[in-house]
Amino acid sequence: MSEHGGSGLRKETTADPAPGPEILVEQLHKSFGDNHVLRGIDLEIRQGEVVCVIGPSGSGKSTLLRCVNLLEQPSGGRVFVGGSELTHPDVDIDAVRRRIGMVFQQFNLFPHLSVTENLALPQRRVLGRDKAAAGRVAAENLERVGLADKAKAFPASLSGGQQQRVAIARALAMGPEVMLFDEPTSALDPELVGDVLAVMRMLADEGMTMMVVTHEMSFAREVADRVVFMDDGVIVEEGPPAEVIGNPRHERTRHFLARVLDPAAAQVEEGMPPVDKRP
């Protein structure tokens, strides 16, 4: 990870010949019983690209993300990461997953292990690194997310934002080529969101390929190369943030953004009493 350059890297790479897609989803379907959650999703994400997936609850965003590394088994279609087909019956799924970092809404840290041990254990178990090497990589990535001083701390002593940054560092310590984020700030108090988003901005500046399910419209507007709006299991529209968020083409997108960007106005529109802003 340390070989990536500074904040200008992503702009410089746009002049190079376009590489093949780092993530490729073809006609992806997913059903839970009679509930058809994903209805033929086609999506490409190129190396170094940051794609934010937005949409209402129940639209299939998180299910799509979880299908990309087969935490959910698709009902139909194909998924490729780095040219390897995860949905092929003979794929070594563990080998492909080593190239994918995943950050969830919840932090999923081991409470009985220190921060360093939380980062070192997966390296030792999955990558076969010895204790010293795993410790060095853990220290490097804790420094990257601004938590070098918390190396010996235990998760219970950290704020939610700090725990999520540890979870990001744990994923980075595995050396992934792709990072998947499933609403990583949704469980945080508002004042803790900024530090997590700052780490994600850093990764974007370094050229990390990222697929981010998020409700943080400011992050999507500022950091994403492309925004994908989903509703009812399909991609309604996608494009640069200035188009999808700033000037959406579809009424479904416009309605969603109106509710997210101005919830009080949405309440009035639906006949509910306006929010009382008096102290």
Side-chain angles (χ1 to χ4, degrees):
M1 312 302 295
S2 60
E3 72 270 21
H4 289 140
S7 61
L9 178 59
R10 289 167 64 227
K11 292 183 179 179
E12 291 170 7
T13 56
T14 58
D16 297 334
E22 190 72 22
I23 298 173
L24 176 62
V25 176
E26 295 181 338
Q27 281 297 296
L28 188 68
H29 290 260
K30 176 62 181 177
S31 295
F32 296 96
D34 294 332
N35 186 13
H36 199 174
V37 177
L38 299 178
R39 303 168 180 267
I41 299 291
D42 290 307
L43 180 65
E44 291 187 12
I45 300 177
R46 296 195 170 273
Q47 185 177 11
E49 192 175 22
V50 178
V51 173
C52 286
V53 183
I54 64 173
S57 297
S59 60
K61 308 182 303 294
S62 292
T63 300
L64 170 60
L65 195 77
R66 293 172 67 86
C67 283
V68 168
N69 64 356
L70 257 60
L71 289 178
E72 294 288 356
Q73 184 69 41
S75 304
R78 300 196 298 173
V79 177
F80 298 81
V81 174
S84 298
E85 184 185 348
L86 275 70
T87 44
H88 193 282
D90 297 328
V91 70
D92 184 347
I93 185 61
D94 292 331
V96 179
R97 278 185 179 147
R98 292 183 192 125
R99 302 160 64 180
I100 306 171
M102 181 86 180
V103 178
F104 300 89
Q105 297 178 30
Q106 301 298 326
F107 324 124
N108 299 324
L109 302 177
F110 292 111
H112 63 290
L113 298 181
S114 71
V115 165
T116 293
E117 290 167 336
N118 266 280
L119 269 67
L121 181 63
Q123 298 178 60
R124 297 175 66 185
R125 291 280 180 87
V126 177
L127 303 181
R129 289 176 180 155
D130 61 33
K131 183 175 181 179
R136 284 194 300 272
V137 174
E140 291 170 2
N141 284 285
L142 286 174
E143 185 172 0
R144 291 180 72 193
V145 302
L147 292 175
D149 61 330
K150 301 296 184 181
K152 296 181 180 179
F154 285 80
S157 69
L158 304 179
S159 70
Q162 289 171 330
Q163 291 187 60
Q164 190 61 293
R165 285 151 64 195
V166 171
I168 294 173
R170 178 181 57 190
L172 294 173
M174 303 297 286
E177 299 169 15
V178 171
M179 286 286 285
L180 308 178
F181 293 87
D182 187 6
E183 300 196 36
T185 60
S186 64
L188 303 180
D189 292 333
E191 67 268 22
L192 303 177
V193 168
D195 289 340
V196 174
L197 294 181
V199 170
M200 295 171 67
R201 285 187 178 94
M202 174 198 73
L203 296 178
D205 286 342
E206 292 178 351
M208 174 64 74
T209 306
M210 297 165 61
M211 182 176 176
V212 184
V213 171
T214 185
H215 287 297
E216 299 289 343
M217 293 301 114
S218 60
F219 176 85
R221 191 191 301 268
E222 296 167 13
V223 179
D225 296 297
R226 191 154 41 97
V227 173
V228 172
F229 173 68
M230 288 185 63
D231 193 17
D232 197 26
V234 300
I235 293 176
V236 177
E237 66 178 295
E238 61 180 296
E243 294 179 7
V244 176
I245 298 177
N247 187 28
R249 301 188 306 274
H250 293 268
E251 178 60 32
R252 291 160 80 183
T253 316
R254 290 194 291 270
H255 181 69
F256 168 77
L257 290 169
R259 292 171 58 86
V260 170
L261 298 175
D262 193 356
Q267 287 177 329
V268 173
E269 176 188 328
E270 295 174 4
M272 297 176 61
V275 175
D276 188 349
K277 297 183 179 180
R278 293 175 297 176

